[in-house]
Amino acid sequence: MSGITTATAWVFDLCPTDHQVAGTPLSLRHSDGEGRYLIASRVIEAGELLLVERPLLLAGAPIRGEAAWAKSSLVAFCSASTTVQSAVLALHSEPIDHPSVMVEGVRDQVARCKGATWRRDYSDATLTEAMLVFQLNAIPLDYAYPQRSSLFEVGSKFNHSCDANAFYEGREGLGSFTALRAISVGEPV
């Protein structure tokens, strides 16, 4: 299948300008208030395939607050290559010093993993940031079999919205993103 992205194909800098996502009708935009997100770089028709991508990283089922999911996510992160780890940490996460219930819960999950051999020499701050990325960006790899959650280097930058203009479908180990309606140039996707 052509047009499938690989984990190492997409590494973006924090930059105020738009970056065209090669082979797609999408550009990556950065905003201080909203982080990095995707916009339409041309008019997109309803039903148009936007992106097919291999997951950057896979972990256990995305049941928030569950210790097994937290451990699975952290083990996956610690076992990944440094290239994949850098790409994961480049995804949006809540600041680790933000006083929120989510950040406190993640800190607790990371603290429970002290002394685990898979943890190697990763700092609490790095693991907390990685876990927050999973909390905010993980998608079930396949809704028919939601035992695995996935992070996508590009696909995890699609907006999460109650009034979505695109939808996700996981199939055969790939994430597929398709337009639900026509999308104007410059519109967030």
mmCIF file of all heavy atoms in Angstrom, residues 46-75:
data_model
loop_
_atom_site.group_PDB
_atom_site.id
_atom_site.type_symbol
_atom_site.label_atom_id
_atom_site.label_comp_id
_atom_site.label_asym_id
_atom_site.label_seq_id
_atom_site.Cartn_x
_atom_site.Cartn_y
_atom_site.Cartn_z
ATOM 1 N N ALA A 46 -15.229 15.683 0.974
ATOM 2 C CA ALA A 46 -15.812 14.705 1.896
ATOM 3 C C ALA A 46 -15.471 13.303 1.418
ATOM 4 O O ALA A 46 -15.533 13.007 0.222
ATOM 5 C CB ALA A 46 -17.327 14.881 1.969
ATOM 6 N N GLY A 47 -15.061 12.438 2.339
ATOM 7 C CA GLY A 47 -14.719 11.062 1.999
ATOM 8 C C GLY A 47 -13.292 10.865 1.526
ATOM 9 O O GLY A 47 -12.854 9.739 1.310
ATOM 10 N N GLU A 48 -12.535 11.939 1.392
ATOM 11 C CA GLU A 48 -11.152 11.838 0.914
ATOM 12 C C GLU A 48 -10.248 11.243 1.990
ATOM 13 O O GLU A 48 -10.307 11.628 3.164
ATOM 14 C CB GLU A 48 -10.644 13.224 0.518
ATOM 15 C CG GLU A 48 -9.263 13.210 -0.097
ATOM 16 C CD GLU A 48 -8.826 14.576 -0.601
ATOM 17 O OE1 GLU A 48 -9.683 15.462 -0.824
ATOM 18 O OE2 GLU A 48 -7.601 14.751 -0.767
ATOM 19 N N LEU A 49 -9.414 10.300 1.597
ATOM 20 C CA LEU A 49 -8.432 9.700 2.495
ATOM 21 C C LEU A 49 -7.337 10.726 2.759
ATOM 22 O O LEU A 49 -6.725 11.240 1.815
ATOM 23 C CB LEU A 49 -7.853 8.427 1.885
ATOM 24 C CG LEU A 49 -6.824 7.677 2.720
ATOM 25 C CD1 LEU A 49 -7.459 7.159 4.017
ATOM 26 C CD2 LEU A 49 -6.245 6.517 1.920
ATOM 27 N N LEU A 50 -7.101 11.034 4.018
ATOM 28 C CA LEU A 50 -6.130 12.058 4.388
ATOM 29 C C LEU A 50 -4.759 11.489 4.715
ATOM 30 O O LEU A 50 -3.738 12.079 4.385
ATOM 31 C CB LEU A 50 -6.651 12.842 5.597
ATOM 32 C CG LEU A 50 -8.010 13.503 5.420
ATOM 33 C CD1 LEU A 50 -8.489 14.093 6.735
ATOM 34 C CD2 LEU A 50 -7.946 14.551 4.331
ATOM 35 N N LEU A 51 -4.754 10.347 5.387
ATOM 36 C CA LEU A 51 -3.486 9.801 5.866
ATOM 37 C C LEU A 51 -3.673 8.339 6.242
ATOM 38 O O LEU A 51 -4.684 7.985 6.846
ATOM 39 C CB LEU A 51 -3.029 10.589 7.110
ATOM 40 C CG LEU A 51 -1.771 10.131 7.840
ATOM 41 C CD1 LEU A 51 -0.531 10.435 7.004
ATOM 42 C CD2 LEU A 51 -1.659 10.827 9.194
ATOM 43 N N VAL A 52 -2.712 7.519 5.869
ATOM 44 C CA VAL A 52 -2.614 6.147 6.374
ATOM 45 C C VAL A 52 -1.226 6.064 7.000
ATOM 46 O O VAL A 52 -0.229 6.394 6.361
ATOM 47 C CB VAL A 52 -2.777 5.095 5.257
ATOM 48 C CG1 VAL A 52 -2.571 3.685 5.810
ATOM 49 C CG2 VAL A 52 -4.126 5.227 4.582
ATOM 50 N N GLU A 53 -1.188 5.645 8.259
ATOM 51 C CA GLU A 53 0.068 5.711 8.999
ATOM 52 C C GLU A 53 0.257 4.497 9.892
ATOM 53 O O GLU A 53 -0.689 4.000 10.490
ATOM 54 C CB GLU A 53 0.052 6.994 9.858
ATOM 55 C CG GLU A 53 1.325 7.253 10.608
ATOM 56 C CD GLU A 53 1.286 8.571 11.379
ATOM 57 O OE1 GLU A 53 0.195 9.068 11.714
ATOM 58 O OE2 GLU A 53 2.367 9.089 11.652
ATOM 59 N N ARG A 54 1.506 4.033 9.972
ATOM 60 C CA ARG A 54 1.862 2.998 10.934
ATOM 61 C C ARG A 54 2.008 3.663 12.301
ATOM 62 O O ARG A 54 2.483 4.778 12.396
ATOM 63 C CB ARG A 54 3.197 2.358 10.568
ATOM 64 C CG ARG A 54 3.180 1.575 9.296
ATOM 65 C CD ARG A 54 4.526 0.878 9.069
ATOM 66 N NE ARG A 54 4.692 0.496 7.690
ATOM 67 C CZ ARG A 54 4.066 -0.494 7.092
ATOM 68 N NH1 ARG A 54 3.210 -1.214 7.778
ATOM 69 N NH2 ARG A 54 4.258 -0.782 5.829
ATOM 70 N N PRO A 55 1.621 2.966 13.371
ATOM 71 C CA PRO A 55 1.794 3.560 14.699
ATOM 72 C C PRO A 55 3.267 3.799 15.019
ATOM 73 O O PRO A 55 4.143 3.016 14.643
ATOM 74 C CB PRO A 55 1.222 2.509 15.645
ATOM 75 C CG PRO A 55 0.356 1.651 14.806
ATOM 76 C CD PRO A 55 0.968 1.670 13.432
ATOM 77 N N LEU A 56 3.505 4.868 15.701
ATOM 78 C CA LEU A 56 4.829 5.200 16.207
ATOM 79 C C LEU A 56 5.170 4.280 17.366
ATOM 80 O O LEU A 56 6.284 3.783 17.498
ATOM 81 C CB LEU A 56 4.808 6.661 16.673
ATOM 82 C CG LEU A 56 6.027 7.273 17.287
ATOM 83 C CD1 LEU A 56 7.151 7.325 16.260
ATOM 84 C CD2 LEU A 56 5.701 8.674 17.778
ATOM 85 N N LEU A 57 4.158 4.035 18.223
ATOM 86 C CA LEU A 57 4.355 3.239 19.423
ATOM 87 C C LEU A 57 3.029 2.601 19.819
ATOM 88 O O LEU A 57 1.985 3.223 19.677
ATOM 89 C CB LEU A 57 4.845 4.155 20.553
ATOM 90 C CG LEU A 57 5.553 3.536 21.735
ATOM 91 C CD1 LEU A 57 6.798 2.764 21.319
ATOM 92 C CD2 LEU A 57 5.947 4.623 22.730
ATOM 93 N N LEU A 58 3.084 1.373 20.290
ATOM 94 C CA LEU A 58 1.898 0.643 20.751
ATOM 95 C C LEU A 58 2.033 0.329 22.234
ATOM 96 O O LEU A 58 3.123 0.049 22.715
ATOM 97 C CB LEU A 58 1.749 -0.682 19.997
ATOM 98 C CG LEU A 58 1.475 -0.596 18.512
ATOM 99 C CD1 LEU A 58 1.610 -1.973 17.878
ATOM 100 C CD2 LEU A 58 0.096 -0.030 18.271
ATOM 101 N N ALA A 59 0.910 0.366 22.931
ATOM 102 C CA ALA A 59 0.878 -0.007 24.349
ATOM 103 C C ALA A 59 -0.408 -0.774 24.607
ATOM 104 O O ALA A 59 -1.164 -1.050 23.678
ATOM 105 C CB ALA A 59 0.970 1.230 25.228
ATOM 106 N N GLY A 60 -0.662 -1.078 25.863
ATOM 107 C CA GLY A 60 -1.877 -1.803 26.223
ATOM 108 C C GLY A 60 -3.128 -0.962 26.039
ATOM 109 O O GLY A 60 -3.083 0.155 25.552
ATOM 110 N N ALA A 61 -4.244 -1.491 26.452
ATOM 111 C CA ALA A 61 -5.546 -0.834 26.282
ATOM 112 C C ALA A 61 -5.579 0.531 26.956
ATOM 113 O O ALA A 61 -5.077 0.690 28.063
ATOM 114 C CB ALA A 61 -6.656 -1.721 26.845
ATOM 115 N N PRO A 62 -6.187 1.525 26.297
ATOM 116 C CA PRO A 62 -6.192 2.888 26.836
ATOM 117 C C PRO A 62 -7.297 3.141 27.855
ATOM 118 O O PRO A 62 -8.191 3.928 27.646
ATOM 119 C CB PRO A 62 -6.405 3.737 25.582
ATOM 120 C CG PRO A 62 -7.238 2.869 24.710
ATOM 121 C CD PRO A 62 -6.758 1.460 24.968
ATOM 122 N N ILE A 63 -7.238 2.442 28.963
ATOM 123 C CA ILE A 63 -8.207 2.660 30.031
ATOM 124 C C ILE A 63 -7.537 3.604 31.024
ATOM 125 O O ILE A 63 -6.624 3.220 31.740
ATOM 126 C CB ILE A 63 -8.620 1.337 30.692
ATOM 127 C CG1 ILE A 63 -9.229 0.416 29.649
ATOM 128 C CG2 ILE A 63 -9.575 1.591 31.851
ATOM 129 C CD1 ILE A 63 -9.418 -0.999 30.130
ATOM 130 N N ARG A 64 -7.944 4.853 31.009
ATOM 131 C CA ARG A 64 -7.297 5.891 31.811
ATOM 132 C C ARG A 64 -7.309 5.538 33.301
ATOM 133 O O ARG A 64 -8.288 5.054 33.833
ATOM 134 C CB ARG A 64 -7.992 7.235 31.613
ATOM 135 C CG ARG A 64 -8.114 7.674 30.177
ATOM 136 C CD ARG A 64 -6.735 7.946 29.585
ATOM 137 N NE ARG A 64 -6.859 8.583 28.286
ATOM 138 C CZ ARG A 64 -6.623 7.986 27.147
ATOM 139 N NH1 ARG A 64 -6.274 6.731 27.121
ATOM 140 N NH2 ARG A 64 -6.721 8.637 26.021
ATOM 141 N N GLY A 65 -6.173 5.813 33.951
ATOM 142 C CA GLY A 65 -6.080 5.604 35.385
ATOM 143 C C GLY A 65 -5.781 4.172 35.785
ATOM 144 O O GLY A 65 -5.592 3.883 36.940
ATOM 145 N N GLU A 66 -5.739 3.260 34.838
ATOM 146 C CA GLU A 66 -5.485 1.864 35.162
ATOM 147 C C GLU A 66 -3.980 1.613 35.207
ATOM 148 O O GLU A 66 -3.269 1.917 34.259
ATOM 149 C CB GLU A 66 -6.154 0.959 34.124
ATOM 150 C CG GLU A 66 -6.058 -0.502 34.470
ATOM 151 C CD GLU A 66 -6.839 -1.352 33.495
ATOM 152 O OE1 GLU A 66 -8.072 -1.297 33.543
ATOM 153 O OE2 GLU A 66 -6.187 -2.041 32.706
ATOM 154 N N ALA A 67 -3.514 1.039 36.294
ATOM 155 C CA ALA A 67 -2.081 0.827 36.493
ATOM 156 C C ALA A 67 -1.465 -0.032 35.390
ATOM 157 O O ALA A 67 -0.347 0.240 34.953
ATOM 158 C CB ALA A 67 -1.833 0.202 37.856
ATOM 159 N N ALA A 68 -2.156 -1.055 34.921
ATOM 160 C CA ALA A 68 -1.605 -1.922 33.872
ATOM 161 C C ALA A 68 -1.375 -1.143 32.583
ATOM 162 O O ALA A 68 -0.381 -1.357 31.889
ATOM 163 C CB ALA A 68 -2.537 -3.109 33.617
ATOM 164 N N TRP A 69 -2.296 -0.231 32.245
ATOM 165 C CA TRP A 69 -2.117 0.567 31.033
ATOM 166 C C TRP A 69 -0.941 1.517 31.191
ATOM 167 O O TRP A 69 -0.131 1.673 30.283
ATOM 168 C CB TRP A 69 -3.387 1.349 30.695
ATOM 169 C CG TRP A 69 -3.239 2.148 29.445
ATOM 170 C CD1 TRP A 69 -3.148 1.658 28.169
ATOM 171 C CD2 TRP A 69 -3.124 3.557 29.326
ATOM 172 N NE1 TRP A 69 -3.000 2.677 27.277
ATOM 173 C CE2 TRP A 69 -2.983 3.868 27.965
ATOM 174 C CE3 TRP A 69 -3.136 4.599 30.252
ATOM 175 C CZ2 TRP A 69 -2.851 5.154 27.493
ATOM 176 C CZ3 TRP A 69 -3.014 5.894 29.777
ATOM 177 C CH2 TRP A 69 -2.865 6.161 28.407
ATOM 178 N N ALA A 70 -0.815 2.131 32.362
ATOM 179 C CA ALA A 70 0.299 3.038 32.612
ATOM 180 C C ALA A 70 1.619 2.295 32.466
ATOM 181 O O ALA A 70 2.532 2.766 31.782
ATOM 182 C CB ALA A 70 0.172 3.652 34.000
ATOM 183 N N LYS A 71 1.714 1.127 33.093
ATOM 184 C CA LYS A 71 2.954 0.353 33.002
ATOM 185 C C LYS A 71 3.229 -0.046 31.556
ATOM 186 O O LYS A 71 4.352 0.087 31.071
ATOM 187 C CB LYS A 71 2.879 -0.894 33.882
ATOM 188 C CG LYS A 71 4.149 -1.720 33.812
ATOM 189 C CD LYS A 71 4.065 -2.967 34.654
ATOM 190 C CE LYS A 71 5.310 -3.811 34.439
ATOM 191 N NZ LYS A 71 5.205 -5.110 35.090
ATOM 192 N N SER A 72 2.224 -0.508 30.840
ATOM 193 C CA SER A 72 2.394 -0.909 29.442
ATOM 194 C C SER A 72 2.887 0.262 28.598
ATOM 195 O O SER A 72 3.775 0.108 27.759
ATOM 196 C CB SER A 72 1.071 -1.444 28.891
ATOM 197 O OG SER A 72 1.170 -1.705 27.520
ATOM 198 N N SER A 73 2.330 1.438 28.818
ATOM 199 C CA SER A 73 2.740 2.630 28.069
ATOM 200 C C SER A 73 4.188 2.999 28.378
ATOM 201 O O SER A 73 4.960 3.314 27.469
ATOM 202 C CB SER A 73 1.827 3.805 28.424
ATOM 203 O OG SER A 73 0.494 3.510 28.111
ATOM 204 N N LEU A 74 4.550 2.950 29.639
ATOM 205 C CA LEU A 74 5.912 3.303 30.038
ATOM 206 C C LEU A 74 6.932 2.273 29.568
ATOM 207 O O LEU A 74 8.022 2.634 29.122
ATOM 208 C CB LEU A 74 5.986 3.501 31.550
ATOM 209 C CG LEU A 74 5.226 4.725 32.076
ATOM 210 C CD1 LEU A 74 5.200 4.726 33.592
ATOM 211 C CD2 LEU A 74 5.820 6.017 31.539
ATOM 212 N N VAL A 75 6.592 0.997 29.642
ATOM 213 C CA VAL A 75 7.496 -0.053 29.142
ATOM 214 C C VAL A 75 7.707 0.124 27.637
ATOM 215 O O VAL A 75 8.839 0.033 27.144
ATOM 216 C CB VAL A 75 6.954 -1.468 29.466
ATOM 217 C CG1 VAL A 75 7.734 -2.537 28.711
ATOM 218 C CG2 VAL A 75 7.019 -1.726 30.965
#
